[in-house]
Amino acid sequence: MGAKQNHRVLVVDDDPDILELLKYNLVKEGYEVKVAEDGKKGVQIAKTFQPELVLLDIMMPNQDGVETCRQIRELPEMVNAHITFLTARAEEYSEVAAFDAGADDYITKPIKPRALMSRISAHFRKEKKGKSIPKVSIGDLTIDKTSYTVTILDNQFTLPKKEFELLYFLAQNPNKVFSRDDLLQNIWGTDVYVLARTVDVHIRKVREKIGDGYITTVKGVGYKFESN
């Protein structure tokens, strides 16, 4: 099988059988892979390995997956990484906590290796298609897709990937109202099951960083980006 442009994948799970199975299938597909058996080691590896994709369990010794996700997201070099939880925890509160910590996707075990490899391959194809998109500038706000940076006046900062994509999508369609389902389909895709509450969590986190004046809640309908 041909190499996938040496995409780097980090797998963090305390189950050695899961680590071995995922590493075997990922390497077979041509990915560069590193594994960690707990959250703290996962964060340390992420600092130097700088994976493009992280597969992360929730229940682990020393440090759970939610805290690990939060710490990885705080690394400047990991702002654009895609973090997917791969866990047996199917409770709603676990999924909400994962997305609140900065996750991009949440998959419940068990999942067949072939299905997982297909999702990973689809993710990297989507990434490749969306790379050359121009900046969006509205008023004092500039959103740069190439660097995942947001600038308000002279203040430039980065956003976690899904928060950025949500803001960017809304800003590309100013004054248009999108329902939660619309946003889930456009940002997370149709092949990923996430809760509608996930949109609310991400909107709240974006507002915390850019202020409340840009994204308006249309009660009972959804959200829109104000261009005025």
Side-chain angles (χ1 to χ4, degrees):
M1 182 96 37
K4 308 288 186 180
Q5 297 182 339
N6 294 322
H7 289 305
R8 300 179 303 280
V9 181
L10 170 62
V11 185
V12 188
D13 199 303
D14 64 325
D15 186 332
D17 292 334
I18 294 287
L19 288 179
E20 183 178 354
L21 178 65
L22 292 179
K23 182 175 182 179
Y24 170 79
N25 282 277
L26 287 162
V27 169
K28 185 179 177 183
E29 289 292 314
Y31 298 108
E32 185 179 352
V33 183
K34 287 191 181 295
V35 299
E37 63 271 19
D38 66 55
K40 288 185 177 180
K41 289 182 180 177
V43 174
Q44 291 301 315
I45 292 174
K47 288 179 181 178
T48 54
F49 184 50
Q50 298 181 23
E52 297 158 83
L53 171 67
V54 179
L55 298 176
L56 186 60
D57 191 18
I58 285 186
M59 297 295 292
M60 295 185 291
N62 299 325
Q63 183 170 285
D64 67 25
V66 172
E67 179 58 28
T68 300
C69 178
R70 187 173 289 110
Q71 291 184 16
I72 288 176
R73 269 292 175 239
E74 290 173 353
L75 299 173
E77 58 269 29
M78 291 297 294
V79 169
N80 296 339
H82 188 92
I83 300 179
T84 293
F85 274 88
L86 186 60
T87 177
R89 299 290 295 270
E91 308 91 348
E92 179 178 336
Y93 70 84
S94 294
E95 184 169 345
V96 170
F99 283 114
D100 203 18
D104 298 298
D105 197 0
Y106 192 97
I107 302 171
T108 53
K109 299 173 183 173
I111 181 171
K112 293 181 179 179
R114 184 178 295 179
L116 180 60
M117 295 304 115
S118 294
R119 287 178 73 148
I120 291 172
S121 180
H123 159 69
F124 283 121
R125 283 199 306 272
K126 184 178 177 182
E127 287 288 293
K128 186 175 181 181
K129 284 181 183 177
K131 279 192 174 175
S132 58
I133 303 175
K135 295 180 182 179
V136 173
S137 295
I138 298 178
D140 296 330
L141 180 70
T142 300
I143 307 166
D144 187 348
K145 180 76 171 179
T146 58
S147 61
Y148 274 72
T149 57
V150 176
T151 304
I152 301 176
L153 296 175
D154 294 326
N155 180 29
Q156 185 180 86
F157 52 92
T158 58
L159 293 177
K161 189 166 188 175
K162 279 293 181 278
E163 291 176 32
F164 181 92
E165 290 176 351
L166 182 58
L167 173 62
Y168 187 82
F169 177 78
L170 288 169
Q172 280 187 307
N173 300 276
N175 302 314
K176 181 177 179 180
V177 181
F178 291 94
S179 69
R180 289 171 179 81
D181 286 342
D182 290 335
L183 294 172
L184 285 172
Q185 183 172 341
N186 281 282
I187 307 303
W188 281 268
T190 56
D191 60 339
V192 178
Y193 175 74
V194 293
L195 301 169
R197 165 98 189 272
T198 300
V199 174
D200 301 332
V201 170
H202 281 71
I203 291 287
R204 173 175 57 79
K205 293 172 79 70
V206 170
R207 282 173 171 162
E208 287 173 358
K209 292 160 186 170
I210 70 170
D212 295 332
Y214 294 99
I215 300 175
T216 301
T217 301
V218 181
K219 203 166 183 180
V221 184
Y223 299 99
K224 69 174 179 176
F225 188 93
E226 298 282 359
S227 65
N228 299 325

